[in-house]
Amino acid sequence: MSLSISVASNGVRAPLGRERIADIARTVLRAERVPSALVSVTLLAPRDMARLNKTHLGHAGPTDVISFGFTRATPRDPVVGDVYLCPAVGRLNAQARGVPIREELSRLVVHGVLHVLGHDHPNGGDREQSAMWLRQEHLLERIAGR
């Protein structure tokens, strides 16, 4: 099994270190029984995330996480994907949810990796009742050791 996770901070500071982010991504991949993966996680400043959001999703402003999962030629090929996180937006989410910033950033890593694996959720009010969201929260509890 080969799970290769690279984390780039681009000068962006976050309360989760690069190795912790990589560990969380690996935990999700193992839990989802992924035998081989190449995943990059990049931390972005709000301006850079807004540009990515506009270019690829057509939305204005920064968002918390954007993921790209690449199509595998065969099921035996490794999972390949990119996850982009904006800690500044994550901090706002944490404040709105009343949770610690480290928990929210961990949630975003889990969320992004699940998207890379092809999981999806509805937008709007049903989002937190979706199968993906429930899986994400289960994994987050496991990661936190609860």
Side-chain angles (χ1 to χ4, degrees), residues 44-55 59-63 86:
L44 295 177
R47 172 181 278 156
D48 296 324
M49 183 60 101
R51 188 173 20 255
L52 191 69
N53 199 15
K54 181 68 173 172
T55 300
H59 301 150
T63 190
C86 184

Side-chain angles (χ1 to χ4, degrees), residues 7-135:
V7 181
S9 62
N10 288 347
V12 173
R13 297 181 63 147
L16 285 181
R18 291 174 14 179
E19 192 54 43
R20 180 67 180 140
I21 290 169
D23 286 343
I24 292 167
R26 274 189 217 92
T27 298
V28 173
L29 293 167
R30 285 184 188 118
E32 295 298 299
R33 294 183 171 89
V34 174
S36 182
L38 301 165
V39 176
S40 70
V41 180
T42 304
L43 305 179
L44 295 177
R47 172 181 278 156
D48 296 324
M49 183 60 101
R51 188 173 20 255
L52 191 69
N53 199 15
K54 181 68 173 172
T55 300
H56 294 282
L57 301 177
H59 301 150
T63 190
D64 50 6
V65 59
I66 295 176
S67 299
F68 301 98
F70 299 96
T71 304
R72 299 187 290 170
T74 72
R76 297 174 88 163
D77 289 338
V79 167
V80 178
D82 297 325
V83 178
Y84 297 90
L85 302 176
C86 184
V89 176
R91 186 175 307 282
L92 296 174
N93 292 352
Q95 291 169 349
R97 291 175 152 285
V99 300
I101 180 65
R102 289 180 182 185
E103 177 182 324
E104 187 62 20
L105 290 179
S106 297
R107 178 175 284 108
L108 295 178
V109 174
V110 172
H111 192 90
V113 173
L114 287 175
H115 272 308
V116 164
L117 296 175
H119 294 271
D120 207 359
H121 56 78
N123 291 322
D126 295 339
R127 178 181 176 160
E128 292 188 13
Q129 285 74 42
S130 70
M132 178 184 169
W133 191 274
L134 296 175
R135 180 67 178 149

